[in-house]
Amino acid sequence: MTEQRQRQGRQLDGDALARAWDELVGTARRTVRDGLVVGTSGNVSLRVGDTVLVTPSGVPYDRLRPEDALGVDLDGHRIIGGLTPTSELPMHLAIYRDTGARAVVHTHAVHATAVSMLVPELPAVHYMTAALGGPVRVAPYALYGTEELAGNMLHALRDRTGCLLQNHGTVTYGDSLDQAYDRTAQLEWMSRLWLTAAAVPGHTPTLLSPDRLREAAQKLRGYGQSAT
């Protein structure tokens, strides 16, 4: 580790690192609790400055401790901790380099993964499609942990904040871990909704038009409590 990388890692020492790591671990555990991943599948990351805190490879989330904090720079060099980063690090870093994302959530959610095996995109079955930028594209299959998969994902994420990975799972990003996680949960719910409606014999699900989605997107911008 170079002196420059050591200095970068020290910038997150103390309370700031502890808070960020605790938030990341809490989100990772939530993916398991909510049934979006099984075992050590899936991964979560959080960008703080030019450092990316990320879940490690092959470690159950309920075993992660404060001293296990793990961070890399935007080139993937480890600058905090001694554990090996998730094998999907190329996907996370590609998003941070290409967008203004502050957090990324990757899961193997069952219904969303099933949709990725059936269609090239999840259609606009609900107005929450607008929260992800439009119908959710499916990135073509590539071996996990590869730059090829990261490239396919970036193409599917163009003008979107989430996508499906064919025969693999989901990726969403946001300005915070809460936002990225909420987009993951919405994507899984919409996938389940479409699968349920499409399974009814003799009926075809109605879809929202681009105009309806634009209308919903505008209204969603003012959703929630205003700042005081």
Side-chain angles (χ1 to χ4, degrees):
M1 185 182 293
T2 67
E3 183 178 348
Q4 181 180 3
R5 291 177 193 159
Q6 289 173 332
R7 284 199 303 270
Q8 184 177 347
R10 285 196 295 269
Q11 289 174 1
L12 287 179
D13 283 347
D15 292 343
L17 171 61
R19 286 194 301 271
W21 181 249
D22 184 63
E23 184 182 7
L24 179 132
V25 171
T27 300
R29 289 174 178 170
R30 189 178 175 190
T31 65
V32 177
R33 187 170 64 249
D34 291 351
L36 299 176
V37 303
V38 176
T40 61
S41 65
N43 27 79
V44 178
S45 67
L46 176 64
R47 179 174 179 175
V48 184
D50 288 332
T51 298
V52 175
L53 298 179
V54 63
T55 48
S57 176
V59 179
Y61 298 143
D62 61 357
R63 297 183 190 174
L64 289 175
R65 306 160 298 171
E67 55 267 36
D68 293 324
L70 172 62
V72 300
D73 64 20
L74 292 174
D75 292 321
H77 300 296
R78 190 172 55 209
I79 56 177
I80 297 173
L83 295 175
T84 300
T86 171
S87 59
E88 298 291 11
L89 186 61
M91 282 203 311
H92 290 258
L93 295 180
I95 291 175
Y96 291 122
R97 294 186 195 118
D98 199 67
T99 74
R102 309 305 297 181
V104 176
V105 175
H106 165 52
T107 77
H108 293 176
V110 172
H111 298 93
T113 304
V115 169
S116 81
M117 300 159 61
L118 297 171
V119 289
E121 70 176 20
L122 174 65
V125 294
H126 192 271
Y127 66 78
M128 283 306 294
T129 300
L132 295 172
V136 180
R137 304 183 188 101
V138 177
Y141 180 82
L143 183 64
Y144 78 92
T146 62
E147 293 293 343
E148 180 185 7
L149 177 58
N152 291 350
M153 173 204 67
L154 279 184
H155 184 74
L157 282 175
R158 189 179 69 256
D159 301 320
R160 301 288 189 270
T161 55
C163 74
L164 301 174
L165 306 175
Q166 191 176 56
N167 293 76
H168 186 156
T170 70
V171 177
T172 62
Y173 69 86
D175 296 329
S176 66
L177 280 169
D178 281 345
Q179 186 180 62
Y181 186 87
D182 182 67
R183 286 170 173 168
T184 297
Q186 294 290 351
L187 177 52
E188 170 65 356
W189 179 82
M190 287 190 295
S191 295
R192 184 177 182 183
L193 176 65
W194 181 78
L195 288 169
T196 301
V200 178
H203 295 272
T204 300
T206 59
L207 303 177
L208 298 179
S209 68
D211 285 344
R212 291 297 191 190
L213 284 183
R214 281 191 289 269
E215 181 184 52
Q218 175 110 18
K219 190 161 188 175
L220 284 169
R221 290 190 190 102
Y223 179 78
Q225 301 300 313
S226 60
T228 58

